[in-house]
Amino acid sequence: MFPLHLNLNLNRNRGARLRGLALFSGALALALYCWGLLQVFGAVLEAEDGGADSAPVRPCRTHAKGAEALDYRIDYVPLRFVCETRGGGSYVADRVPGYVNPGAFGFALAAMLLAIGAGYEAELRARRAATPTDGEPRITG
């Protein structure tokens, strides 16, 4: 079994662990979003490549309505490559992997909740430090 002092030390570092996990989760969210941006910008480069084979827009050809695609746009939240068709319609081209948007959202949400938890832990620690064992609050400042 673990010695008692090691177990107490782990409880003292709970806020630091929460902050570290929040940072790691935020980094994963950013990495996933950047991966999706690379996919979208690759589709933009392919769409902007002129020449005799440039109409309809190449990234939009994989869909059944590809022959009707006139232009495209990029939506950043959620991240996607949107093909615009005649008559004002549009559809999403499958350029961004399906795991990017939910994964980035999930990791960003987890990072936010972990950061809130770390702030709450710091507040609890500060309140415990300001209250002595006899129950009388200390005057600080």
Side-chain angles (χ1 to χ4, degrees):
M1 245 340 155
F2 292 111
L4 182 59
H5 70 279
L6 179 64
N7 193 13
L8 291 174
N9 195 17
L10 286 175
N11 286 335
R12 281 189 215 142
N13 293 328
R14 187 181 327 168
R17 285 186 308 201
L18 287 173
R19 286 190 302 273
L21 285 173
L23 182 65
F24 183 68
S25 185
L28 286 175
L30 182 64
L32 269 175
Y33 192 81
C34 287
W35 175 248
L37 277 177
L38 282 174
Q39 303 300 316
V40 168
F41 290 148
V44 168
L45 285 175
E46 191 177 348
E48 292 296 323
D49 187 22
D53 193 31
S54 62
V57 180
R58 281 190 205 143
C60 298
R61 291 180 190 171
T62 59
H63 196 272
K65 297 180 183 179
E68 301 174 12
L70 296 176
D71 204 7
Y72 67 91
R73 74 172 190 271
I74 299 170
D75 290 344
Y76 291 98
V77 178
L79 187 60
R80 59 190 179 176
F81 187 89
V82 181
C83 300
E84 296 177 346
T85 61
R86 294 184 178 104
S90 64
Y91 63 92
V92 177
D94 297 332
R95 300 304 279 205
V96 178
Y99 59 85
V100 169
N101 286 316
F105 175 74
F107 282 124
L109 181 64
M112 182 183 67
L113 292 174
L114 286 165
I116 290 170
Y120 183 70
E121 175 66 25
E123 176 69 22
L124 288 178
R125 190 177 327 122
R127 287 184 185 194
R128 281 191 300 257
T131 305
T133 57
D134 61 2
E136 291 295 320
R138 290 185 201 150
I139 299 174
T140 58

